[in-house]
Amino acid sequence: MSNQRPNIVNAAQAVPNGPDLALHTQAEAARLLRISERSLERHRVQGTGPRYASLGRRIVYTRADLHAWVQACSRCSTSEP
């Protein structure tokens, strides 16, 4: 018998690890967006915020989704809707 441990892959290794696919908690996402966590919660409830994933009781955001939301909110004039 060998004394080698079975090769176990943890959850962090199973997720592709690129800068756009990194998972951010609500607090981290709020800091990146420079808004309050409460504002982020409100956007989530109203369906007006960035895409998110619910992992059990944890809410996480990818950097790509945060970036896409900021781009979608970009305006060139105050007269745009």
Side-chain angles (χ1 to χ4, degrees), residues 24-37:
H24 297 284
T25 64
Q26 176 177 293
E28 293 167 339
R31 263 194 311 276
L32 284 169
L33 296 171
R34 297 183 182 191
I35 62 175
S36 71
E37 288 186 57

Side-chain angles (χ1 to χ4, degrees), residues 27-78:
E28 293 167 339
R31 263 194 311 276
L32 284 169
L33 296 171
R34 297 183 182 191
I35 62 175
S36 71
E37 288 186 57
R38 184 69 183 118
S39 291
L40 198 52
E41 289 172 2
R42 236 182 261 119
H43 278 297
R44 197 167 55 244
V45 169
Q46 295 172 353
T48 58
R51 290 174 48 96
Y52 66 93
S54 178
L55 305 176
R57 296 177 73 186
R58 284 185 62 210
I59 300 297
V60 294
Y61 300 85
T62 64
R63 186 166 295 218
D65 286 337
L66 297 174
H67 179 73
W69 183 66
V70 169
Q71 291 298 332
C73 292
S74 296
R75 303 288 183 260
C76 292
S77 168
T78 58

